[in-house]
Amino acid sequence: MARSRSLPPRLLGAGFRGFSLLPLAISFVVLVCLSLLAIQLWMTLRAREVQLDEAGRESANLAQAVAQHAYDTIKEADTVLVGLVERVETDGVSDPELARMHKLLVNRVAELRQLHGIFIYASDGSWLVNSQKTLLSNLNNADRDYFNYHRTHADRGPYVGPPVRSKSTGDWIVTVSRRINMPDGSFGGVALATIDMNYFRLFYERFSIGEKGAIFIANGQGILLLRRPFDESLLGRDLSQFPVFHDYLPKGPVGTAVIRSRVDGVTRINSYRRVEEYPLVVSAALSQDEVLAAWRLDTVMQNAVGGVLVLLIAFIGYRVVRQIDLRVKSEAGLVEARNELEMINETLARLASQDGLTGLANRRHFDQSLLAEFSRAQREDSSLGLVLIDVDFFKQYNDIYGHVAGDECLRKIGKVVAYSMRRPGDLAARYGGEEMVILLPGTELPGALAVAEGVRQAVQSLGIEHSGNALGVVTASVGVAAFIPKHLENQAVELVELADTALYKAKALGRNQVCYESSSEIAAEQAATAFAFR
Protein backbone atom coordinates (compact mmCIF):
# COMPACT_ATOMS: atom_id res chain seq x y z
CA MET A 1 0.00 0.00 0.00
CA ALA A 2 1.45 3.38 -1.01
CA ARG A 3 2.44 5.72 1.86
CA SER A 4 0.83 9.16 1.65
CA ARG A 5 3.10 12.16 1.84
CA SER A 6 2.53 15.72 3.07
CA LEU A 7 2.18 18.52 0.58
CA PRO A 8 5.21 20.74 0.19
CA PRO A 9 4.96 24.14 1.87
CA ARG A 10 4.52 25.86 -1.47
CA LEU A 11 1.49 23.70 -2.32
CA LEU A 12 0.12 24.14 1.20
CA GLY A 13 0.32 27.92 0.81
CA ALA A 14 -1.27 27.65 -2.61
CA GLY A 15 -4.13 25.65 -1.18
CA PHE A 16 -4.96 28.57 1.15
CA ARG A 17 -4.39 31.21 -1.51
CA GLY A 18 -7.23 33.70 -1.47
CA PHE A 19 -8.08 32.88 2.18
CA SER A 20 -6.59 35.09 4.96
CA LEU A 21 -6.21 33.88 8.54
CA LEU A 22 -5.90 37.47 9.79
CA PRO A 23 -9.63 38.12 10.54
CA LEU A 24 -9.93 34.76 12.32
CA ALA A 25 -6.80 35.39 14.38
CA ILE A 26 -7.93 38.91 15.29
CA SER A 27 -11.33 37.56 16.36
CA PHE A 28 -9.62 34.96 18.51
CA VAL A 29 -7.45 37.52 20.30
CA VAL A 30 -10.42 39.83 20.88
CA LEU A 31 -12.45 36.91 22.20
CA VAL A 32 -9.65 35.93 24.61
CA CYS A 33 -9.32 39.51 25.88
CA LEU A 34 -13.07 39.87 26.34
CA SER A 35 -13.21 36.50 28.08
CA LEU A 36 -10.46 37.54 30.50
CA LEU A 37 -12.25 40.82 31.20
CA ALA A 38 -15.53 38.96 31.73
CA ILE A 39 -13.86 36.49 34.12
CA GLN A 40 -12.20 39.37 35.98
CA LEU A 41 -15.55 41.14 36.28
CA TRP A 42 -17.24 37.97 37.52
CA MET A 43 -14.52 37.34 40.08
CA THR A 44 -14.73 40.94 41.26
CA LEU A 45 -18.49 40.81 41.70
CA ARG A 46 -18.25 37.39 43.34
CA ALA A 47 -15.64 38.67 45.79
CA ARG A 48 -17.95 41.58 46.63
CA GLU A 49 -20.84 39.21 47.21
CA VAL A 50 -18.71 37.01 49.47
CA GLN A 51 -17.51 40.04 51.42
CA LEU A 52 -21.08 41.24 51.96
CA ASP A 53 -22.23 37.74 52.96
CA GLU A 54 -19.46 37.52 55.55
CA ALA A 55 -20.35 40.96 56.87
CA GLY A 56 -24.00 39.90 57.06
CA ARG A 57 -23.09 36.85 59.13
CA GLU A 58 -20.87 38.99 61.35
CA SER A 59 -23.60 41.55 61.96
CA ALA A 60 -26.13 38.76 62.61
CA ASN A 61 -23.84 37.22 65.24
CA LEU A 62 -23.33 40.66 66.74
CA ALA A 63 -27.09 41.26 66.90
CA GLN A 64 -27.54 37.88 68.58
CA ALA A 65 -24.95 38.78 71.21
CA VAL A 66 -26.56 42.18 71.84
CA ALA A 67 -30.02 40.62 72.03
CA GLN A 68 -28.84 37.95 74.48
CA HIS A 69 -27.19 40.60 76.64
CA ALA A 70 -30.35 42.73 76.62
CA TYR A 71 -32.47 39.70 77.47
CA ASP A 72 -30.22 38.64 80.35
CA THR A 73 -30.09 42.17 81.73
CA ILE A 74 -33.86 42.73 81.58
CA LYS A 75 -34.53 39.20 82.85
CA GLU A 76 -32.48 39.74 85.99
CA ALA A 77 -34.26 43.02 86.71
CA ASP A 78 -37.68 41.58 85.91
CA THR A 79 -37.10 38.56 88.13
CA VAL A 80 -36.60 40.91 91.06
CA LEU A 81 -39.81 42.78 90.15
CA VAL A 82 -41.87 39.58 89.96
CA GLY A 83 -40.89 38.71 93.52
CA LEU A 84 -41.57 42.24 94.79
CA VAL A 85 -45.02 42.40 93.18
CA GLU A 86 -46.00 39.07 94.70
CA ARG A 87 -44.72 40.19 98.11
CA VAL A 88 -46.54 43.53 98.05
CA GLU A 89 -49.81 41.96 96.88
CA THR A 90 -49.56 39.20 99.50
CA ASP A 91 -48.02 40.90 102.55
CA GLY A 92 -49.17 44.50 102.01
CA VAL A 93 -47.21 47.68 102.65
CA SER A 94 -47.18 48.06 106.40
CA ASP A 95 -44.30 49.96 107.97
CA PRO A 96 -42.49 46.81 109.21
CA GLU A 97 -42.94 45.19 105.82
CA LEU A 98 -41.61 48.29 104.02
CA ALA A 99 -38.59 48.35 106.34
CA ARG A 100 -37.81 44.73 105.48
CA MET A 101 -38.26 45.48 101.78
CA HIS A 102 -35.90 48.44 102.00
CA LYS A 103 -33.06 46.23 103.26
CA LEU A 104 -33.84 43.67 100.56
CA LEU A 105 -33.79 46.28 97.78
CA VAL A 106 -30.52 47.79 98.93
CA ASN A 107 -28.92 44.33 98.85
CA ARG A 108 -30.36 43.50 95.43
CA VAL A 109 -28.97 46.68 93.81
CA ALA A 110 -25.58 46.01 95.40
CA GLU A 111 -25.58 42.47 93.96
CA LEU A 112 -26.69 43.38 90.40
CA ARG A 113 -24.28 45.98 89.06
CA GLN A 114 -26.51 46.83 86.10
CA LEU A 115 -29.30 48.06 88.38
CA HIS A 116 -29.47 51.76 89.05
CA GLY A 117 -32.31 51.39 91.53
CA ILE A 118 -35.52 49.56 92.52
CA PHE A 119 -38.68 51.47 93.50
CA ILE A 120 -42.22 50.75 94.63
CA TYR A 121 -44.86 53.43 94.09
CA ALA A 122 -48.35 53.72 95.50
CA SER A 123 -51.40 54.12 93.31
CA ASP A 124 -51.05 57.93 93.45
CA GLY A 125 -47.38 57.87 92.37
CA SER A 126 -45.89 58.56 95.78
CA TRP A 127 -42.75 56.69 96.81
CA LEU A 128 -43.39 53.81 99.21
CA VAL A 129 -39.92 52.25 99.36
CA ASN A 130 -36.79 52.05 97.20
CA SER A 131 -33.20 50.86 97.15
CA GLN A 132 -31.70 54.16 98.31
CA LYS A 133 -29.87 53.97 101.58
CA THR A 134 -31.55 57.23 102.66
CA LEU A 135 -35.21 57.07 101.70
CA LEU A 136 -36.73 60.07 99.93
CA SER A 137 -40.44 60.56 100.53
CA ASN A 138 -41.22 63.92 99.00
CA LEU A 139 -41.15 62.84 95.34
CA ASN A 140 -43.94 61.65 93.07
CA ASN A 141 -43.67 59.72 89.79
CA ALA A 142 -47.28 59.80 88.65
CA ASP A 143 -46.17 61.75 85.57
CA ARG A 144 -43.82 59.04 84.29
CA ASP A 145 -44.63 57.08 81.14
CA TYR A 146 -44.41 53.70 82.84
CA PHE A 147 -46.75 54.82 85.65
CA ASN A 148 -49.40 56.07 83.22
CA TYR A 149 -49.05 52.87 81.20
CA HIS A 150 -49.73 50.54 84.13
CA ARG A 151 -52.50 52.75 85.47
CA THR A 152 -54.36 52.48 82.16
CA HIS A 153 -53.45 48.89 81.23
CA ALA A 154 -54.43 45.77 83.18
CA ASP A 155 -51.59 43.80 81.55
CA ARG A 156 -49.46 42.09 84.23
CA GLY A 157 -46.43 41.64 82.00
CA PRO A 158 -43.22 43.71 82.09
CA TYR A 159 -43.12 47.13 80.45
CA VAL A 160 -39.90 48.62 79.09
CA GLY A 161 -40.34 52.36 78.91
CA PRO A 162 -38.47 55.13 77.06
CA PRO A 163 -35.19 56.41 78.50
CA VAL A 164 -35.57 59.03 81.23
CA ARG A 165 -33.39 60.92 83.68
CA SER A 166 -33.59 59.70 87.22
CA LYS A 167 -35.33 62.15 89.56
CA SER A 168 -33.04 61.10 92.38
CA THR A 169 -29.63 61.17 90.62
CA GLY A 170 -30.15 62.81 87.22
CA ASP A 171 -28.58 59.85 85.39
CA TRP A 172 -30.00 58.46 82.15
CA ILE A 173 -31.78 55.18 82.88
CA VAL A 174 -33.82 52.46 81.17
CA THR A 175 -36.96 51.49 83.05
CA VAL A 176 -38.49 48.03 83.52
CA SER A 177 -41.77 47.96 85.45
CA ARG A 178 -44.71 45.79 86.49
CA ARG A 179 -48.19 46.63 87.69
CA ILE A 180 -49.24 46.04 91.31
CA ASN A 181 -52.91 45.13 91.84
CA MET A 182 -55.15 45.61 94.81
CA PRO A 183 -57.02 42.52 96.14
CA ASP A 184 -60.03 43.49 94.00
CA GLY A 185 -57.87 43.68 90.87
CA SER A 186 -57.78 47.48 90.70
CA PHE A 187 -54.60 49.46 90.17
CA GLY A 188 -52.48 49.48 93.31
CA GLY A 189 -49.14 50.92 92.19
CA VAL A 190 -46.00 50.14 90.24
CA ALA A 191 -42.83 48.16 90.91
CA LEU A 192 -39.94 49.66 88.98
CA ALA A 193 -36.35 48.60 88.26
CA THR A 194 -34.04 51.12 86.60
CA ILE A 195 -30.98 50.08 84.62
CA ASP A 196 -28.01 52.40 84.33
CA MET A 197 -27.63 53.30 80.66
CA ASN A 198 -23.85 53.34 81.04
CA TYR A 199 -24.05 49.57 81.63
CA PHE A 200 -25.32 49.10 78.07
CA ARG A 201 -22.94 51.73 76.67
CA LEU A 202 -19.88 50.04 78.14
CA PHE A 203 -21.01 46.67 76.77
CA TYR A 204 -21.61 48.02 73.25
CA GLU A 205 -18.27 49.80 73.17
CA ARG A 206 -16.51 46.43 73.45
CA PHE A 207 -17.57 45.45 69.93
CA SER A 208 -15.40 46.26 66.93
CA ILE A 209 -17.86 47.72 64.44
CA GLY A 210 -15.70 50.28 62.66
CA GLU A 211 -16.00 54.04 62.74
CA LYS A 212 -19.42 54.09 61.05
CA GLY A 213 -20.98 50.95 62.53
CA ALA A 214 -24.03 51.26 64.76
CA ILE A 215 -25.84 49.33 67.49
CA PHE A 216 -29.19 50.27 68.92
CA ILE A 217 -31.82 48.91 71.28
CA ALA A 218 -35.45 50.05 71.22
CA ASN A 219 -38.62 49.02 73.01
CA GLY A 220 -41.51 47.26 71.32
CA GLN A 221 -43.14 50.55 70.27
CA GLY A 222 -40.01 51.62 68.42
CA ILE A 223 -38.79 54.14 71.01
CA LEU A 224 -35.00 54.33 70.96
CA LEU A 225 -33.46 53.37 74.31
CA LEU A 226 -29.78 53.57 73.42
CA ARG A 227 -27.59 53.83 70.34
CA ARG A 228 -23.92 53.51 69.58
CA PRO A 229 -22.50 55.96 68.64
CA PHE A 230 -24.09 57.62 71.66
CA ASP A 231 -26.08 60.80 71.03
CA GLU A 232 -28.14 62.09 73.93
CA SER A 233 -30.43 64.03 71.59
CA LEU A 234 -31.59 60.75 69.98
CA LEU A 235 -32.70 59.08 73.23
CA GLY A 236 -36.44 58.47 73.20
CA ARG A 237 -36.73 59.07 69.45
CA ASP A 238 -39.60 57.29 67.70
CA LEU A 239 -38.22 54.78 65.17
CA SER A 240 -41.51 53.07 64.40
CA GLN A 241 -41.59 54.50 60.86
CA PHE A 242 -37.98 53.63 60.13
CA PRO A 243 -37.35 50.72 57.69
CA VAL A 244 -36.42 48.15 60.36
CA PHE A 245 -39.75 48.58 62.18
CA HIS A 246 -41.98 49.61 59.27
CA ASP A 247 -40.72 47.35 56.46
CA TYR A 248 -38.78 44.40 57.89
CA LEU A 249 -39.95 43.40 61.38
CA PRO A 250 -43.56 42.82 60.19
CA LYS A 251 -42.14 40.12 57.88
CA GLY A 252 -40.19 38.29 60.56
CA PRO A 253 -38.58 38.76 63.98
CA VAL A 254 -35.04 38.18 62.69
CA GLY A 255 -33.33 39.33 59.52
CA THR A 256 -30.54 41.17 57.73
CA ALA A 257 -30.93 43.96 55.21
CA VAL A 258 -28.91 46.75 53.61
CA ILE A 259 -30.50 49.98 54.86
CA ARG A 260 -29.60 53.65 54.48
CA SER A 261 -29.88 55.26 57.92
CA ARG A 262 -32.28 58.15 58.36
CA VAL A 263 -30.20 59.33 61.30
CA ASP A 264 -26.82 59.92 59.64
CA GLY A 265 -27.32 58.83 56.01
CA VAL A 266 -24.85 55.94 56.21
CA THR A 267 -25.70 52.77 54.29
CA ARG A 268 -25.23 49.78 56.57
CA ILE A 269 -25.58 46.00 56.57
CA ASN A 270 -28.18 45.83 59.31
CA SER A 271 -29.06 42.70 61.31
CA TYR A 272 -32.08 43.02 63.57
CA ARG A 273 -34.06 40.78 65.92
CA ARG A 274 -36.81 40.92 68.49
CA VAL A 275 -35.86 39.85 71.97
CA GLU A 276 -37.82 36.82 73.07
CA GLU A 277 -40.21 37.32 76.02
CA TYR A 278 -39.56 41.07 76.38
CA PRO A 279 -40.76 43.96 74.17
CA LEU A 280 -37.33 44.86 72.84
CA VAL A 281 -35.73 45.14 69.41
CA VAL A 282 -31.97 45.22 68.86
CA SER A 283 -29.98 46.00 65.75
CA ALA A 284 -26.29 45.68 64.87
CA ALA A 285 -25.11 47.31 61.65
CA LEU A 286 -21.77 47.53 59.83
CA SER A 287 -21.00 50.30 57.36
CA GLN A 288 -21.15 48.96 53.83
CA ASP A 289 -18.39 51.35 52.74
CA GLU A 290 -16.09 50.12 55.51
CA VAL A 291 -16.92 46.48 54.78
CA LEU A 292 -16.09 46.95 51.10
CA ALA A 293 -13.01 49.13 51.62
CA ALA A 294 -10.56 46.24 51.36
CA TRP A 295 -12.54 44.79 48.45
CA ARG A 296 -12.28 48.07 46.57
CA LEU A 297 -8.52 48.20 47.06
CA ASP A 298 -8.18 44.59 45.91
CA THR A 299 -10.43 45.33 42.93
CA VAL A 300 -8.28 48.27 41.83
CA MET A 301 -5.13 46.18 42.09
CA GLN A 302 -6.65 43.15 40.39
CA ASN A 303 -8.16 45.24 37.60
CA ALA A 304 -4.83 46.98 37.09
CA VAL A 305 -3.03 43.65 36.85
CA GLY A 306 -5.81 42.22 34.69
CA GLY A 307 -5.70 45.25 32.41
CA VAL A 308 -1.95 44.95 31.98
CA LEU A 309 -2.38 41.23 31.28
CA VAL A 310 -5.07 41.91 28.67
CA LEU A 311 -2.90 44.55 27.03
CA LEU A 312 0.00 42.13 27.08
CA ILE A 313 -2.11 39.38 25.54
CA ALA A 314 -3.52 41.82 23.00
CA PHE A 315 -0.02 42.93 22.07
CA ILE A 316 1.26 39.37 21.89
CA GLY A 317 -1.83 38.42 19.91
CA TYR A 318 -1.14 41.25 17.51
CA ARG A 319 2.40 40.04 17.05
CA VAL A 320 1.21 36.46 16.54
CA VAL A 321 -1.42 37.61 14.05
CA ARG A 322 1.18 39.59 12.18
CA GLN A 323 3.46 36.58 12.08
CA ILE A 324 0.64 34.37 10.86
CA ASP A 325 -0.25 36.85 8.15
CA LEU A 326 3.37 37.28 7.04
CA ARG A 327 4.39 33.64 7.23
CA VAL A 328 1.21 31.78 6.36
CA LYS A 329 3.03 30.25 3.36
CA SER A 330 6.02 29.26 5.46
CA GLU A 331 5.83 26.17 7.64
CA ALA A 332 8.74 27.46 9.68
CA GLY A 333 6.79 30.60 10.51
CA LEU A 334 3.83 28.56 11.68
CA VAL A 335 6.04 26.43 13.92
CA GLU A 336 7.65 29.53 15.41
CA ALA A 337 4.30 31.14 16.10
CA ARG A 338 3.04 27.91 17.64
CA ASN A 339 6.10 27.69 19.87
CA GLU A 340 5.60 31.27 21.03
CA LEU A 341 1.99 30.54 21.94
CA GLU A 342 3.00 27.38 23.81
CA MET A 343 5.58 29.31 25.81
CA ILE A 344 3.00 31.94 26.71
CA ASN A 345 0.46 29.31 27.76
CA GLU A 346 3.11 27.50 29.80
CA THR A 347 4.04 30.74 31.58
CA LEU A 348 0.40 31.53 32.31
CA ALA A 349 -0.19 27.98 33.56
CA ARG A 350 2.84 28.24 35.86
CA LEU A 351 1.65 31.59 37.22
CA ALA A 352 -1.85 30.18 37.71
CA SER A 353 -0.56 27.37 39.94
CA GLN A 354 1.45 29.54 42.36
CA ASP A 355 0.28 31.69 45.29
CA GLY A 356 1.52 35.22 44.75
CA LEU A 357 2.01 36.07 48.42
CA THR A 358 3.75 33.03 49.92
CA GLY A 359 5.32 31.48 46.81
CA LEU A 360 3.69 28.15 47.70
CA ALA A 361 1.35 26.26 45.41
CA ASN A 362 -2.13 27.75 45.28
CA ARG A 363 -5.42 26.09 46.16
CA ARG A 364 -6.13 24.99 42.59
CA HIS A 365 -2.75 23.27 42.29
CA PHE A 366 -3.27 21.58 45.64
CA ASP A 367 -6.71 20.26 44.68
CA GLN A 368 -5.33 18.76 41.48
CA SER A 369 -2.34 17.22 43.26
CA LEU A 370 -4.56 15.79 46.02
CA LEU A 371 -6.74 13.95 43.50
CA ALA A 372 -3.70 12.63 41.64
CA GLU A 373 -1.86 11.43 44.76
CA PHE A 374 -5.06 9.97 46.23
CA SER A 375 -5.57 7.88 43.09
CA ARG A 376 -1.94 6.79 43.17
CA ALA A 377 -2.21 5.79 46.85
CA GLN A 378 -5.28 3.69 46.02
CA ARG A 379 -3.47 1.93 43.20
CA GLU A 380 -0.29 1.32 45.20
CA ASP A 381 -2.07 0.61 48.52
CA SER A 382 0.12 3.21 50.25
CA SER A 383 -0.62 5.74 52.97
CA LEU A 384 -1.30 9.38 52.19
CA GLY A 385 -0.72 12.07 54.85
CA LEU A 386 -2.06 15.60 55.10
CA VAL A 387 -0.99 18.42 57.44
CA LEU A 388 -3.34 21.42 57.78
CA ILE A 389 -1.82 24.54 59.40
CA ASP A 390 -3.72 27.57 60.68
CA VAL A 391 -2.08 30.70 62.15
CA ASP A 392 -3.50 31.36 65.63
CA PHE A 393 -5.36 34.65 66.17
CA PHE A 394 -4.38 35.92 62.74
CA LYS A 395 -7.36 38.28 62.48
CA GLN A 396 -6.24 39.95 65.71
CA TYR A 397 -2.72 40.14 64.29
CA ASN A 398 -4.04 42.03 61.25
CA ASP A 399 -6.14 44.29 63.49
CA ILE A 400 -3.12 45.11 65.70
CA TYR A 401 -0.25 45.35 63.18
CA GLY A 402 -2.04 45.96 59.89
CA HIS A 403 -2.46 43.92 56.71
CA VAL A 404 1.03 44.75 55.40
CA ALA A 405 2.57 43.16 58.50
CA GLY A 406 0.07 40.32 58.18
CA ASP A 407 1.24 39.61 54.62
CA GLU A 408 4.88 39.63 55.75
CA CYS A 409 3.98 37.22 58.57
CA LEU A 410 2.39 34.82 56.06
CA ARG A 411 5.47 35.04 53.82
CA LYS A 412 7.74 34.01 56.69
CA ILE A 413 5.47 31.15 57.69
CA GLY A 414 5.23 30.13 54.03
CA LYS A 415 9.01 29.74 53.95
CA VAL A 416 8.85 27.53 57.05
CA VAL A 417 6.16 25.38 55.45
CA ALA A 418 8.11 25.15 52.17
CA TYR A 419 11.22 24.06 54.06
CA SER A 420 9.26 21.18 55.63
CA MET A 421 9.05 19.44 52.25
CA ARG A 422 11.86 16.87 52.41
CA ARG A 423 10.92 14.67 49.44
CA PRO A 424 10.29 15.50 45.76
CA GLY A 425 6.72 14.21 45.97
CA ASP A 426 5.70 16.44 48.90
CA LEU A 427 3.59 19.51 48.15
CA ALA A 428 3.16 22.65 50.27
CA ALA A 429 0.31 24.98 49.35
CA ARG A 430 -1.64 27.94 50.62
CA TYR A 431 -5.07 26.50 51.34
CA GLY A 432 -6.80 29.84 51.87
CA GLY A 433 -6.39 32.95 54.05
CA GLU A 434 -3.99 32.07 56.88
CA GLU A 435 -4.33 28.31 56.29
CA MET A 436 -1.55 26.29 54.65
CA VAL A 437 -1.36 22.60 53.84
CA ILE A 438 1.30 19.96 53.25
CA LEU A 439 0.50 16.85 51.16
CA LEU A 440 2.71 13.88 52.08
CA PRO A 441 2.48 10.91 49.66
CA GLY A 442 3.65 7.57 51.03
CA THR A 443 3.59 8.88 54.61
CA GLU A 444 1.86 7.25 57.56
CA LEU A 445 0.51 9.01 60.61
CA PRO A 446 3.75 9.04 62.69
CA GLY A 447 5.70 10.60 59.85
CA ALA A 448 3.00 13.19 59.20
CA LEU A 449 2.90 14.06 62.90
CA ALA A 450 6.66 14.55 62.91
CA VAL A 451 6.42 16.97 60.00
CA ALA A 452 3.53 18.80 61.67
CA GLU A 453 5.34 19.19 64.97
CA GLY A 454 8.42 20.45 63.16
CA VAL A 455 6.34 23.13 61.43
CA ARG A 456 4.63 24.15 64.67
CA GLN A 457 7.94 24.51 66.50
CA ALA A 458 9.52 26.36 63.59
CA VAL A 459 6.63 28.87 63.44
CA GLN A 460 6.90 29.56 67.17
CA SER A 461 10.70 29.80 66.85
CA LEU A 462 10.34 32.61 64.32
CA GLY A 463 9.52 34.81 67.32
CA ILE A 464 7.16 37.09 65.38
CA GLU A 465 5.70 39.47 67.95
CA HIS A 466 1.94 39.06 68.52
CA SER A 467 0.44 40.86 71.51
CA GLY A 468 -2.95 39.30 70.74
CA ASN A 469 -1.54 35.83 71.51
CA ALA A 470 -1.09 34.76 75.12
CA LEU A 471 2.44 33.56 74.28
CA GLY A 472 3.38 36.96 72.86
CA VAL A 473 4.51 35.51 69.53
CA VAL A 474 2.80 34.09 66.45
CA THR A 475 1.94 30.40 66.80
CA ALA A 476 0.08 27.86 64.70
CA SER A 477 -2.42 25.09 65.30
CA VAL A 478 -1.97 21.97 63.18
CA GLY A 479 -4.33 19.18 62.19
CA VAL A 480 -2.97 15.90 60.82
CA ALA A 481 -4.61 13.01 59.01
CA ALA A 482 -3.24 9.95 57.27
CA PHE A 483 -4.65 6.67 56.03
CA ILE A 484 -4.48 4.14 53.22
CA PRO A 485 -7.36 4.92 50.84
CA LYS A 486 -9.41 2.01 49.59
CA HIS A 487 -10.73 1.86 46.07
CA LEU A 488 -14.46 2.68 45.83
CA GLU A 489 -14.56 3.15 49.64
CA ASN A 490 -12.75 6.43 50.24
CA GLN A 491 -12.69 9.83 48.60
CA ALA A 492 -10.01 12.49 48.65
CA VAL A 493 -12.22 14.93 50.54
CA GLU A 494 -12.24 12.54 53.53
CA LEU A 495 -8.54 13.19 54.09
CA VAL A 496 -9.14 16.95 54.14
CA GLU A 497 -12.15 16.56 56.46
CA LEU A 498 -10.10 14.46 58.92
CA ALA A 499 -7.30 17.04 58.96
CA ASP A 500 -9.83 19.84 59.35
CA THR A 501 -11.47 18.04 62.29
CA ALA A 502 -8.07 17.59 63.88
CA LEU A 503 -7.33 21.30 63.37
CA TYR A 504 -10.55 22.29 65.13
CA LYS A 505 -9.60 19.92 67.92
CA ALA A 506 -6.21 21.64 68.25
CA LYS A 507 -7.91 25.03 68.46
CA ALA A 508 -10.47 23.80 70.97
CA LEU A 509 -7.71 22.43 73.19
CA GLY A 510 -5.94 25.78 73.39
CA ARG A 511 -4.11 26.29 70.05
CA ASN A 512 -0.35 26.06 69.36
CA GLN A 513 -0.45 22.29 69.23
CA VAL A 514 -0.77 19.32 66.88
CA CYS A 515 -3.78 17.02 66.87
CA TYR A 516 -4.60 14.17 64.55
CA GLU A 517 -7.56 12.22 63.20
CA SER A 518 -7.43 8.76 61.67
CA SER A 519 -9.96 6.47 59.98
CA SER A 520 -11.43 3.74 62.19
CA GLU A 521 -9.80 0.88 60.25
CA ILE A 522 -6.25 1.99 60.94
CA ALA A 523 -6.69 3.92 64.17
CA ALA A 524 -5.95 0.91 66.38
CA GLU A 525 -2.74 -0.18 64.65
CA GLN A 526 -1.35 3.36 64.30
CA ALA A 527 -2.23 4.51 67.81
CA ALA A 528 0.62 2.39 69.21
CA THR A 529 3.23 4.21 67.12
CA ALA A 530 1.73 7.71 66.86
CA PHE A 531 3.28 10.52 68.87
CA ALA A 532 1.36 11.80 71.85
CA PHE A 533 0.23 15.07 70.27
CA ARG A 534 -2.97 16.45 71.71
Side-chain angles (χ1 to χ4, degrees), residues 336-350:
E336 181 180 353
R338 183 189 64 192
N339 291 338
E340 289 180 2
L341 288 175
E342 288 177 353
M343 290 176 60
I344 294 171
N345 291 333
E346 183 177 323
T347 300
L348 292 176
R350 185 171 61 256

Side-chain angles (χ1 to χ4, degrees), residues 154-375:
D155 178 21
R156 302 305 303 277
Y159 175 72
V160 180
V164 295
R165 283 192 180 276
S166 171
K167 287 188 176 181
S168 58
T169 64
D171 298 328
W172 279 104
I173 56 175
V174 176
T175 62
V176 182
S177 57
R178 280 184 176 267
R179 174 184 168 119
I180 298 174
N181 278 350
M182 300 296 287
D184 60 358
S186 61
F187 177 66
V190 173
L192 171 73
T194 60
I195 301 173
D196 191 345
M197 195 168 289
N198 283 326
Y199 177 77
F200 286 108
R201 287 181 59 184
L202 292 175
F203 179 76
Y204 294 164
E205 288 172 358
R206 298 176 187 173
F207 294 106
S208 176
I209 59 175
E211 295 182 359
K212 296 182 180 180
I215 299 174
F216 78 74
I217 179 172
N219 66 13
Q221 288 74 41
I223 303 301
L224 182 65
L225 302 181
L226 182 65
R227 183 179 186 270
R228 175 188 172 190
F230 181 75
D231 186 349
E232 187 172 314
S233 64
L234 296 177
L235 297 180
R237 183 171 180 177
D238 187 358
L239 307 180
S240 60
Q241 296 305 310
F242 280 37
V244 168
F245 286 88
H246 186 267
D247 300 329
Y248 295 101
L249 279 174
K251 299 176 183 178
V254 179
T256 299
V258 177
I259 302 174
R260 181 179 177 85
S261 173
R262 293 186 185 179
V263 176
D264 52 20
V266 177
T267 300
R268 296 186 175 92
I269 301 169
N270 195 310
S271 291
Y272 56 88
R273 61 172 51 237
R274 289 190 182 275
V275 177
E276 297 180 1
E277 191 174 330
Y278 294 104
L280 293 174
V281 174
V282 300
S283 170
L286 302 176
S287 168
Q288 190 177 56
D289 286 340
E290 291 181 342
V291 168
L292 295 178
W295 169 82
R296 291 192 182 95
L297 179 60
D298 291 343
T299 298
V300 171
M301 296 179 64
Q302 291 173 3
N303 287 340
V305 173
V308 171
L309 181 61
V310 168
L311 290 176
L312 178 62
I313 292 177
F315 174 73
I316 295 174
Y318 165 75
R319 297 293 299 173
V320 172
V321 167
R322 187 176 179 184
Q323 292 297 320
I324 292 175
D325 187 54
L326 293 175
R327 302 183 184 187
V328 64
K329 298 178 182 180
S330 171
E331 184 175 355
L334 292 175
V335 172
E336 181 180 353
R338 183 189 64 192
N339 291 338
E340 289 180 2
L341 288 175
E342 288 177 353
M343 290 176 60
I344 294 171
N345 291 333
E346 183 177 323
T347 300
L348 292 176
R350 185 171 61 256
L351 292 175
S353 65
Q354 187 180 48
D355 178 63
L357 177 63
T358 61
L360 302 176
N362 60 17
R363 174 66 180 274
R364 178 185 177 188
H365 189 188
F366 167 74
D367 289 340
Q368 294 173 345
S369 299
L370 174 63
L371 293 176
E373 294 297 341
F374 196 86
S375 298

